[in-house]
């Protein structure tokens, strides 16, 4: 079972917000994170990790299916760096 | 943007108190940490998905000295950017 938005909404609901408000709050939080990354600003969460925006320059690539050469445009990608604390938690699971 | 800035932005935009915003931000990242610690996948539509990848032990090298080092088996979260976010950071 995967953790989904729905489960997070349920936890917020348990704080005493209505179902509709809980959905609103979670969507607002996600939107804030997305807006920050969209503007090129990293999101750092101590104890969890950081979401960074990296600029990739143009490069020559190849279509793996056809073997055709093609030029990949420069683009921005989001990367995630796990915090030491989270990494430890994941590795200490038995 | 850090956790505190996230909390104040949420307080303002969702029109809730600071302590409520702090609790919600905490719930959000704690739920994700707990899921990954349990080896569970995460799927947040539009933002990202995560799963835990198992790495076997291997012989690596210290890039500075060239010495051989034994790397123990490890688990790391693997991040995959969601479609909406990927498109938005590229505009």
């Amino acid at each position: 079972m995967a953790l989904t938005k729905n489960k997070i909404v349920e936890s917020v609901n348990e704080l005493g917000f209505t179902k509709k408000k809980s959905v609103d709050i979670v969507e607002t939080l996600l939107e804030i994170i997305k807006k920050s990354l969209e503007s090129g600003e990293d999101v750092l969460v101590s104890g969890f990790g950081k979401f960074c925006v990296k600029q990739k320059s143009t490069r020559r690539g190849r279509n793996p299916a056809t073997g055709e050469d093609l030029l990949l445009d420069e683009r921005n990608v989001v990367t995630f760096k796990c915090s030491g604390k989270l990494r430890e938690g994941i590795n200490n699971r038995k | 943007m850090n956790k505190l800035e996230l909390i104040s932005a949420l307080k303002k935009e969702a029109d809730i108190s600071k302590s409520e915003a702090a609790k919600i931000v905490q719930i959000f990242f704690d739920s994700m940490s707990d899921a990954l610690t349990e080896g569970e996948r995460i799927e947040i539509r539009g933002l990202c998905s995560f799963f835990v990848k198992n790495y076997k032990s291997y012989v690596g090298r210290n890039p500075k000295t060239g010495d051989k080092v034994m790397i123990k088996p490890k688990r790391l979260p693997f991040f995959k950017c969601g479609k909406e976010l990927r498109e938005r950071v590229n505009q």
Side-chain angles (χ1 to χ4, degrees):
Chain A
M1 272 280 274
L3 173 72
T4 57
K5 220 187 272 183
N6 208 12
K7 277 195 208 162
I8 296 167
V9 169
E10 275 169 29
S11 308
V12 173
N13 191 212
E14 280 165 20
L15 290 179
F17 294 101
T18 62
K19 190 74 202 260
K20 190 180 170 294
K21 183 72 181 169
S22 306
V23 173
D24 267 6
I25 292 170
V26 173
E27 289 296 345
T28 306
L29 175 59
L30 295 174
E31 186 54 32
I32 293 166
I33 297 172
K34 285 185 265 193
K35 250 190 238 153
S36 172
L37 293 169
E38 191 179 3
S39 73
E41 199 191 336
D42 297 349
V43 177
L44 296 102
V45 186
S46 58
F48 185 72
K50 58 178 176 189
F51 299 89
C52 304
V53 185
K54 276 200 177 152
Q55 288 185 314
K56 299 266 187 180
S57 44
T58 320
R59 66 180 174 94
R60 301 189 66 86
R62 206 179 270 269
N63 180 333
T66 63
E68 253 175 292
D69 269 348
L70 44 94
L71 209 61
L72 297 171
D73 292 338
E74 61 171 33
R75 62 204 166 103
N76 296 329
V77 292
V78 180
T79 59
F80 174 74
K81 178 92 171 71
C82 173
S83 88
K85 199 181 150 204
L86 177 60
R87 192 184 156 138
E88 235 171 73
I90 293 173
N91 281 287
N92 285 340
R93 170 171 63 105
K94 281 290 161 281
Chain B
M1 179 176 245
N2 59 29
K3 200 149 88 179
L4 275 176
E5 291 168 311
L6 214 52
I7 292 168
S8 27
L10 183 64
K11 167 190 185 285
K12 207 170 114 213
E13 289 181 35
D15 195 23
I16 52 179
S17 74
K18 180 139 193 189
S19 78
E20 287 168 336
K23 264 186 218 158
I24 290 154
V25 169
Q26 200 61 45
I27 286 174
F28 181 68
F29 291 106
D30 281 352
S31 314
M32 297 211 284
S33 295
D34 291 349
L36 292 173
T37 304
E38 295 300 316
E40 200 187 3
R41 292 174 56 91
I42 302 175
E43 280 183 41
I44 313 280
R45 275 298 133 80
L47 184 74
C48 63
S49 66
F50 284 98
F51 67 92
V52 178
K53 238 180 173 171
N54 283 298
Y55 293 85
K56 287 185 202 146
S57 100
Y58 62 95
V59 182
R61 287 206 185 250
N62 180 332
K64 212 180 260 170
T65 64
D67 291 345
K68 280 188 180 172
V69 272
M70 188 66 185
I71 313 283
K72 288 188 204 140
K74 62 185 172 192
R75 295 190 186 100
L76 284 179
F78 188 85
F79 166 84
K80 193 161 183 265
C81 185
K83 190 166 177 248
E84 186 201 339
L85 180 60
R86 193 172 62 227
E87 284 165 2
R88 283 175 62 174
V89 294
N90 264 308
Q91 272 167 12

